[in-house]
Amino acid sequence: MLNQPPEPLDLMFQALADPTRRRMVERLSRGSASVSELAEPFKMSLPAIVQHLQVLEQSGLVTTRKVGRVRTCTIDTGALSMAEKWINDRRVGWEHRLDRLGAFLDALPSGTDKGK
Amino acid sequence: MLNQPPEPLDLMFQALADPTRRRMVERLSRGSASVSELAEPFKMSLPAIVQHLQVLEQSGLVTTRKVGRVRTCTIDTGALSMAEKWINDRRVGWEHRLDRLGAFLDALPSGTDKGK
């Protein structure tokens, strides 16, 4: 089988599968930050932080913009919504199925009750 | 730094980062399935399918139960909710922040209006 290019959701979920990157997204959900502000809470080299940031950028979850010498990072709620919606659709699909099954079972004549 | 054990969300997002595994979760959101039913739409060996299934099981997104010779796979909406909630909290956090910023800007006396 030929290698397929990664799908957008592959990159997003891959980006979110790392605790450092999730903490970076958490930080950015409280407001945009420069790369050095973003790096501040981590005991990690700046190149390592930049590498994590690149994974987040490639996934679309974070955008960055350089003005002068400062690169500012912002989360993209559209991309977050896309990942959230995929999970939500699966969960709701399953829950509706269980509801329909419950309604079907409720509508069945109950053998024990009717037999009395 | 010592290697940390993976966090539950690491395993869940890692599991969802693969298109085959997402299609397996999609299939299971429409109802439980045996391993061979689950494998049916994929042009993939059964061992490859079982390996993907193990990743889903280890992440908690899918549970399996063996009765006789048949192993039945079911999605776990609790685990799906956990991953969904993490993303939702980040997105909503950011949107609230934007709303507060908008309200703050609206409340500012407008220089151009007041100057007239």
Side-chain angles (χ1 to χ4, degrees):
Chain A
M1 197 154 57
L2 290 173
N3 274 340
Q4 301 289 320
E7 300 176 10
L9 285 171
D10 294 1
L11 298 177
M12 288 178 202
F13 288 129
Q14 187 62 58
L16 293 177
D18 179 273
T20 301
R21 290 196 292 267
R22 283 200 305 280
R23 267 154 228 149
M24 290 166 81
V25 172
E26 264 172 35
R27 165 62 189 85
L28 293 176
S29 75
R30 296 196 297 275
S32 297
S34 68
V35 178
S36 46
E37 284 168 343
L38 198 57
E40 207 268 328
F42 300 100
K43 289 175 185 162
M44 214 175 264
S45 70
L46 197 61
I49 290 292
V50 168
Q51 208 167 5
H52 280 306
L53 186 56
Q54 281 171 348
V55 175
L56 287 169
E57 241 189 310
Q58 280 156 14
S59 75
L61 291 170
V62 169
T63 58
T64 74
R65 204 165 66 102
K66 197 167 183 177
V67 177
R69 291 168 57 93
V70 177
R71 181 173 293 280
T72 303
C73 313
T74 305
I75 57 170
D76 185 318
T77 52
L80 279 173
S81 290
M82 188 176 161
E84 186 183 340
K85 184 177 184 311
W86 188 90
I87 304 178
N88 181 271
D89 286 351
R90 304 292 90 69
R91 185 178 59 74
V92 169
W94 175 248
E95 285 171 357
H96 279 181
R97 201 190 140 77
L98 284 190
D99 288 347
R100 286 200 307 273
L101 181 65
F104 173 77
L105 291 176
D106 285 347
L108 280 182
S110 159
T112 49
D113 290 353
K114 305 272 156 156
K116 277 177 191 165
Chain B
M1 195 155 58
L2 291 172
N3 274 339
Q4 301 289 321
E7 299 175 10
L9 285 171
D10 295 1
L11 298 176
M12 287 177 203
F13 288 129
Q14 187 61 59
L16 294 177
D18 179 274
T20 301
R21 291 196 291 268
R22 283 201 305 280
R23 268 155 226 148
M24 289 166 82
V25 171
E26 264 173 35
R27 165 62 189 84
L28 293 176
S29 75
R30 297 195 298 275
S32 297
S34 69
V35 177
S36 46
E37 284 167 344
L38 198 58
E40 207 268 329
F42 298 100
K43 288 173 185 164
M44 212 175 264
S45 70
L46 198 61
I49 290 292
V50 168
Q51 209 166 5
H52 279 306
L53 186 56
Q54 281 170 348
V55 174
L56 287 169
E57 240 188 311
Q58 280 156 13
S59 75
L61 291 170
V62 169
T63 57
T64 73
R65 204 165 65 102
K66 197 167 186 180
V67 177
R69 290 167 58 94
V70 177
R71 181 172 294 278
T72 303
C73 312
T74 304
I75 57 169
D76 186 317
T77 52
L80 279 172
S81 291
M82 188 176 161
E84 186 183 340
K85 184 177 183 312
W86 189 91
I87 303 178
N88 181 272
D89 286 351
R90 304 292 90 70
R91 185 177 60 74
V92 169
W94 175 248
E95 286 171 356
H96 279 181
R97 199 189 142 76
L98 284 190
D99 288 347
R100 285 200 309 273
L101 181 64
F104 174 75
L105 291 177
D106 285 346
L108 279 183
S110 160
T112 48
D113 290 354
K114 304 270 157 160
K116 278 177 191 164

mmCIF file of all heavy atoms in Angstrom, chain A residues 64-82:
data_model
loop_
_atom_site.group_PDB
_atom_site.id
_atom_site.type_symbol
_atom_site.label_atom_id
_atom_site.label_comp_id
_atom_site.label_asym_id
_atom_site.label_seq_id
_atom_site.Cartn_x
_atom_site.Cartn_y
_atom_site.Cartn_z
ATOM 1 N N THR A 64 1.508 31.263 14.483
ATOM 2 C CA THR A 64 2.481 32.204 15.038
ATOM 3 C C THR A 64 2.670 33.353 14.050
ATOM 4 O O THR A 64 2.465 33.191 12.845
ATOM 5 C CB THR A 64 3.851 31.545 15.327
ATOM 6 O OG1 THR A 64 4.531 31.328 14.087
ATOM 7 C CG2 THR A 64 3.724 30.245 16.083
ATOM 8 N N ARG A 65 3.021 34.519 14.596
ATOM 9 C CA ARG A 65 3.209 35.701 13.762
ATOM 10 C C ARG A 65 4.412 36.454 14.311
ATOM 11 O O ARG A 65 4.491 36.674 15.524
ATOM 12 C CB ARG A 65 1.965 36.594 13.865
ATOM 13 C CG ARG A 65 1.760 37.507 12.662
ATOM 14 C CD ARG A 65 0.351 38.051 12.699
ATOM 15 N NE ARG A 65 0.165 38.916 13.849
ATOM 16 C CZ ARG A 65 0.164 40.259 13.793
ATOM 17 N NH1 ARG A 65 0.330 40.867 12.631
ATOM 18 N NH2 ARG A 65 -0.029 40.977 14.870
ATOM 19 N N LYS A 66 5.339 36.773 13.436
ATOM 20 C CA LYS A 66 6.556 37.445 13.893
ATOM 21 C C LYS A 66 6.442 38.939 13.606
ATOM 22 O O LYS A 66 6.160 39.333 12.470
ATOM 23 C CB LYS A 66 7.777 36.863 13.176
ATOM 24 C CG LYS A 66 9.065 37.199 13.875
ATOM 25 C CD LYS A 66 10.224 36.368 13.365
ATOM 26 C CE LYS A 66 11.486 36.703 14.173
ATOM 27 N NZ LYS A 66 12.621 35.890 13.780
ATOM 28 N N VAL A 67 6.574 39.740 14.638
ATOM 29 C CA VAL A 67 6.610 41.197 14.456
ATOM 30 C C VAL A 67 7.931 41.659 15.053
ATOM 31 O O VAL A 67 8.170 41.483 16.260
ATOM 32 C CB VAL A 67 5.419 41.897 15.142
ATOM 33 C CG1 VAL A 67 5.536 43.419 14.985
ATOM 34 C CG2 VAL A 67 4.101 41.421 14.546
ATOM 35 N N GLY A 68 8.804 42.208 14.231
ATOM 36 C CA GLY A 68 10.148 42.582 14.684
ATOM 37 C C GLY A 68 10.873 41.313 15.105
ATOM 38 O O GLY A 68 10.955 40.362 14.326
ATOM 39 N N ARG A 69 11.356 41.298 16.348
ATOM 40 C CA ARG A 69 12.097 40.118 16.820
ATOM 41 C C ARG A 69 11.232 39.173 17.627
ATOM 42 O O ARG A 69 11.712 38.150 18.117
ATOM 43 C CB ARG A 69 13.278 40.581 17.692
ATOM 44 C CG ARG A 69 14.388 41.299 16.908
ATOM 45 C CD ARG A 69 15.352 41.970 17.859
ATOM 46 N NE ARG A 69 15.927 41.015 18.807
ATOM 47 C CZ ARG A 69 17.085 40.358 18.623
ATOM 48 N NH1 ARG A 69 17.786 40.585 17.548
ATOM 49 N NH2 ARG A 69 17.540 39.515 19.536
ATOM 50 N N VAL A 70 9.952 39.526 17.798
ATOM 51 C CA VAL A 70 9.101 38.713 18.685
ATOM 52 C C VAL A 70 8.103 37.882 17.876
ATOM 53 O O VAL A 70 7.345 38.426 17.065
ATOM 54 C CB VAL A 70 8.344 39.622 19.689
ATOM 55 C CG1 VAL A 70 7.397 38.793 20.564
ATOM 56 C CG2 VAL A 70 9.336 40.378 20.559
ATOM 57 N N ARG A 71 8.122 36.565 18.118
ATOM 58 C CA ARG A 71 7.128 35.685 17.487
ATOM 59 C C ARG A 71 6.019 35.420 18.502
ATOM 60 O O ARG A 71 6.275 34.927 19.599
ATOM 61 C CB ARG A 71 7.792 34.378 17.046
ATOM 62 C CG ARG A 71 6.821 33.415 16.360
ATOM 63 C CD ARG A 71 7.522 32.202 15.769
ATOM 64 N NE ARG A 71 8.401 32.562 14.653
ATOM 65 C CZ ARG A 71 7.990 32.797 13.401
ATOM 66 N NH1 ARG A 71 6.718 32.679 13.084
ATOM 67 N NH2 ARG A 71 8.855 33.119 12.475
ATOM 68 N N THR A 72 4.784 35.774 18.131
ATOM 69 C CA THR A 72 3.646 35.601 19.040
ATOM 70 C C THR A 72 2.828 34.381 18.613
ATOM 71 O O THR A 72 2.539 34.207 17.427
ATOM 72 C CB THR A 72 2.754 36.865 19.020
ATOM 73 O OG1 THR A 72 3.574 37.977 19.387
ATOM 74 C CG2 THR A 72 1.610 36.753 20.012
ATOM 75 N N CYS A 73 2.472 33.562 19.591
ATOM 76 C CA CYS A 73 1.760 32.306 19.333
ATOM 77 C C CYS A 73 0.315 32.430 19.810
ATOM 78 O O CYS A 73 0.064 32.940 20.902
ATOM 79 C CB CYS A 73 2.412 31.157 20.097
ATOM 80 S SG CYS A 73 4.200 31.132 19.930
ATOM 81 N N THR A 74 -0.605 31.940 19.006
ATOM 82 C CA THR A 74 -2.041 32.025 19.303
ATOM 83 C C THR A 74 -2.681 30.685 18.950
ATOM 84 O O THR A 74 -2.313 30.086 17.939
ATOM 85 C CB THR A 74 -2.683 33.150 18.446
ATOM 86 O OG1 THR A 74 -1.968 34.368 18.685
ATOM 87 C CG2 THR A 74 -4.151 33.357 18.775
ATOM 88 N N ILE A 75 -3.645 30.235 19.762
ATOM 89 C CA ILE A 75 -4.305 28.981 19.371
ATOM 90 C C ILE A 75 -5.371 29.272 18.334
ATOM 91 O O ILE A 75 -5.939 30.362 18.274
ATOM 92 C CB ILE A 75 -4.910 28.174 20.550
ATOM 93 C CG1 ILE A 75 -5.926 28.981 21.363
ATOM 94 C CG2 ILE A 75 -3.858 27.559 21.409
ATOM 95 C CD1 ILE A 75 -6.682 28.074 22.345
ATOM 96 N N ASP A 76 -5.655 28.260 17.502
ATOM 97 C CA ASP A 76 -6.671 28.375 16.465
ATOM 98 C C ASP A 76 -7.875 27.542 16.891
ATOM 99 O O ASP A 76 -7.836 26.313 16.862
ATOM 100 C CB ASP A 76 -6.089 27.879 15.135
ATOM 101 C CG ASP A 76 -7.064 28.096 13.987
ATOM 102 O OD1 ASP A 76 -8.271 27.853 14.170
ATOM 103 O OD2 ASP A 76 -6.616 28.531 12.921
ATOM 104 N N THR A 77 -8.945 28.249 17.292
ATOM 105 C CA THR A 77 -10.097 27.513 17.820
ATOM 106 C C THR A 77 -10.801 26.729 16.708
ATOM 107 O O THR A 77 -11.475 25.749 17.001
ATOM 108 C CB THR A 77 -11.099 28.461 18.507
ATOM 109 O OG1 THR A 77 -11.393 29.518 17.604
ATOM 110 C CG2 THR A 77 -10.541 29.020 19.788
ATOM 111 N N GLY A 78 -10.630 27.149 15.449
ATOM 112 C CA GLY A 78 -11.229 26.380 14.345
ATOM 113 C C GLY A 78 -10.654 24.976 14.292
ATOM 114 O O GLY A 78 -11.391 23.994 14.166
ATOM 115 N N ALA A 79 -9.334 24.873 14.430
ATOM 116 C CA ALA A 79 -8.692 23.556 14.405
ATOM 117 C C ALA A 79 -9.078 22.747 15.648
ATOM 118 O O ALA A 79 -9.382 21.557 15.555
ATOM 119 C CB ALA A 79 -7.178 23.720 14.315
ATOM 120 N N LEU A 80 -9.100 23.419 16.818
ATOM 121 C CA LEU A 80 -9.526 22.721 18.039
ATOM 122 C C LEU A 80 -10.952 22.187 17.862
ATOM 123 O O LEU A 80 -11.254 21.055 18.242
ATOM 124 C CB LEU A 80 -9.480 23.664 19.245
ATOM 125 C CG LEU A 80 -8.129 23.889 19.917
ATOM 126 C CD1 LEU A 80 -8.236 24.973 20.970
ATOM 127 C CD2 LEU A 80 -7.588 22.605 20.571
ATOM 128 N N SER A 81 -11.827 23.010 17.264
ATOM 129 C CA SER A 81 -13.223 22.594 17.043
ATOM 130 C C SER A 81 -13.299 21.356 16.168
ATOM 131 O O SER A 81 -14.141 20.492 16.388
ATOM 132 C CB SER A 81 -14.011 23.690 16.330
ATOM 133 O OG SER A 81 -14.210 24.763 17.175
ATOM 134 N N MET A 82 -12.449 21.300 15.166
ATOM 135 C CA MET A 82 -12.478 20.170 14.227
ATOM 136 C C MET A 82 -12.172 18.857 14.969
ATOM 137 O O MET A 82 -12.864 17.849 14.784
ATOM 138 C CB MET A 82 -11.446 20.421 13.131
ATOM 139 C CG MET A 82 -11.497 19.443 12.000
ATOM 140 S SD MET A 82 -10.292 19.970 10.733
ATOM 141 C CE MET A 82 -10.136 18.419 9.844
#
